[in-house]
Amino acid sequence: MLTIKQIIENKEAIVRGLEKKHFPNAKEAIEAVLAIDNKRKEAQAQLDELLNRIKTLSKHIGDLMKQGLKEEAEKTKGEVSSLKSKTQTLEETMKQAQEKRTELLYQIPNVPYEEVPEGKDANDNIIVKEDGKMTSIPENPLPHWELAKKYNLIDFDLGVKISGAGFPVYIGQGAHLQRALINFFLDEARKAGYTEIMPPIVVNAASGYGTGQLPDKEGQMYHCEVDDLYLIPTAEVPVTNIYRDVILEEKNLPIKNCAYTECFRREAGSYGKDVRGLNRLHEFSKIELVRIDKPEHSKQSHQEMLDHVEGLLQKLELPYHILLLCGGDMSFTSSLCYDFEVYSEAQKRWLEVSSVSNFDTYQANRLQCRYRKQDKKIELCHTLNGSALALPRIMAALLENFQTPDGIRIPKALQPYMGCEIIK
């Protein structure tokens, strides 16, 4: 979340940034935070004054007792008792103001960087790069859901029987291809210096608040109400929360983690062609990259993550483009975000396969993830994360773009993991 210091020092810039994200009533929201913080400050000032008065009177009581002025000392004790009662009231006022301030800050999104373009939705995102050759496929190519049925790779109906729509069952070479992609992505991450983590796939509410899924995306998460736990929508949540309430040493930054997990999203309100087949699922596999860095190096970290994801798509021989997201299409928590999309020749559309984001200090402030500088000062870290990669649409693109009259061709990078050159 935003810090009070940021808001006080850059109020107008923050309001403009929130308006770029199309956050409603941005100015009023910021003014409400400042008003409740002023109430807290006023209570703090009164409390400090009372505590100083109590300290002075307490010393005076000792002096009176030494002088034998017991009656006057008792009168002064009564005054101290009355002041202490007032301090309790002020402490409660401060506590309530602090809690209200935090509640308000949780509801305010992160502020986008200056380079983020204006725009309302995905139609206003900017293509910053397009690469990869369009593959040569047969006329009237089949979409992946038909290819999956033809080659017995994925059974969507069986998933409906077992769990419901959006929970596919991978079979035979379909399961093998899924596992090949997971291992390939993890191996590439390790080669790039990422430490692999195997985190839990359920988290508590504190973890959800730490990375910003709560309260913003509460309705999109699966909630285990009896134990008050949430199924993770991404490995970003448990992996980043490793560093909640932690002070890191500057010499150990950046921290680079990767994790493979199943991810769960309710996707409430999704409908139409965008949810067909693997396009939008309730459960899917993803490899996530998470970095914790110092502010002056996070821009470089972000670029390195972008380069890594681009390298994966190049090795998979998929046509792709990179989008700089506009303010209106950014996530609640990000300051800067790039999306990677691969082209599906069979569906004639682009499929999002990765988002790579810099959150600045927004998550770190929620998490109290800090680092100790060489001069011993303690500051908030920057956090970053990105998909490297999400499997469903990658698998859809591989099936569709590499279909041939003889079967599904396997890109060279995956052949050692699959043990074959073609799925027949």
Side-chain angles (χ1 to χ4, degrees), residues 219-341:
Q220 292 292 349
M221 297 172 71
Y222 285 101
H223 187 200
C224 308
E225 295 182 359
V226 173
D227 299 305
D228 194 22
L229 296 172
Y230 294 84
L231 297 181
I232 63 169
T234 166
E236 166 200 346
V237 183
V239 175
T240 311
N241 270 278
I242 291 171
Y243 306 98
R244 173 157 43 100
D245 297 321
V246 171
I247 298 176
L248 302 162
E249 297 299 328
E250 183 176 8
K251 65 182 180 181
N252 295 328
L253 299 177
I255 288 173
K256 300 165 61 176
N257 291 150
C258 67
Y260 153 67
T261 63
E262 288 297 293
C263 303
F264 302 86
R265 299 182 185 181
R266 292 186 61 239
E267 296 291 1
S270 298
Y271 61 90
K273 66 178 183 178
D274 290 347
V275 304
R276 189 79 184 271
L278 296 171
N279 287 341
R280 196 172 294 275
L281 301 176
H282 293 305
E283 179 183 358
F284 61 95
S285 301
K286 183 156 69 84
I287 285 74
E288 193 78 359
L289 304 180
V290 171
R291 286 203 187 199
I292 312 294
D293 209 346
K294 54 186 179 182
E296 60 267 30
H297 191 259
S298 73
K299 184 175 181 179
Q300 181 177 331
S301 271
H302 197 192
Q303 186 59 53
E304 289 174 4
M305 295 171 75
L306 294 169
D307 293 343
H308 179 82
V309 174
E310 184 175 10
L312 296 176
L313 294 174
Q314 290 171 344
K315 289 178 180 179
L316 291 176
E317 305 168 34
L318 290 169
Y320 66 92
H321 66 200
I322 307 173
L323 301 169
L324 172 59
L325 267 57
C326 69
D329 198 37
M330 294 176 68
S331 73
F332 188 87
T333 50
S334 62
S335 286
L336 181 66
C337 182
Y338 290 87
D339 275 3
F340 287 79
E341 296 182 334

Side-chain angles (χ1 to χ4, degrees), residues 106-120:
Y106 273 144
Q107 297 170 20
I108 298 174
N110 199 358
V111 176
Y113 286 159
E114 286 293 328
E115 59 262 45
V116 172
E118 298 281 352
K120 293 183 178 180

Side-chain angles (χ1 to χ4, degrees), residues 52-115:
N52 286 332
R53 177 63 177 161
I54 289 171
K55 184 178 180 181
T56 299
L57 290 175
S58 296
K59 183 180 179 181
H60 184 53
I61 290 170
D63 293 338
L64 291 172
M65 293 296 288
K66 288 178 182 178
Q67 297 172 33
L69 302 173
K70 186 176 180 181
E71 183 177 345
E72 190 172 343
E74 290 297 324
K75 182 179 179 181
T76 305
K77 284 181 182 179
E79 184 180 353
V80 168
S81 179
S82 176
L83 291 176
K84 284 183 176 180
S85 178
K86 291 180 180 179
T87 64
Q88 292 176 354
T89 301
L90 287 170
E91 286 172 350
E92 183 61 28
T93 299
M94 285 178 57
K95 179 183 176 183
Q96 292 178 2
Q98 180 78 29
E99 290 174 349
K100 182 62 177 178
R101 188 185 73 175
T102 300
E103 178 187 337
L104 293 174
L105 285 171
Y106 273 144
Q107 297 170 20
I108 298 174
N110 199 358
V111 176
Y113 286 159
E114 286 293 328
E115 59 262 45

Side-chain angles (χ1 to χ4, degrees), residues 344-408:
S344 162
E345 185 61 41
Q347 297 182 65
K348 302 296 182 184
R349 58 191 291 253
W350 291 93
L351 307 173
E352 180 193 330
V353 294
S354 176
S355 290
V356 184
S357 300
N358 189 333
F359 303 103
D360 201 271
T361 60
Y362 189 85
Q363 286 183 334
N365 189 34
R366 286 172 172 243
L367 295 159
Q368 282 302 287
C369 172
R370 296 160 290 170
Y371 75 103
R372 184 180 288 105
K373 302 175 69 173
Q374 292 181 356
D375 61 7
K376 305 303 180 181
K377 290 182 180 178
I378 294 176
E379 294 188 2
L380 290 172
C381 297
H382 279 199
T383 63
L384 307 93
N385 84 272
S387 309
L389 290 155
L391 270 66
R393 294 172 188 167
I394 286 290
M395 194 161 184
L398 289 174
L399 296 180
E400 293 177 0
N401 290 356
F402 296 145
Q403 59 184 296
T404 74
D406 300 320
I408 309 296

Side-chain angles (χ1 to χ4, degrees), residues 149 154-164 167-169:
K149 186 175 183 179
I154 308 169
D155 194 323
F156 294 100
D157 293 333
L158 187 56
V160 172
K161 173 185 176 181
I162 297 170
S163 303
F167 297 91
V169 176

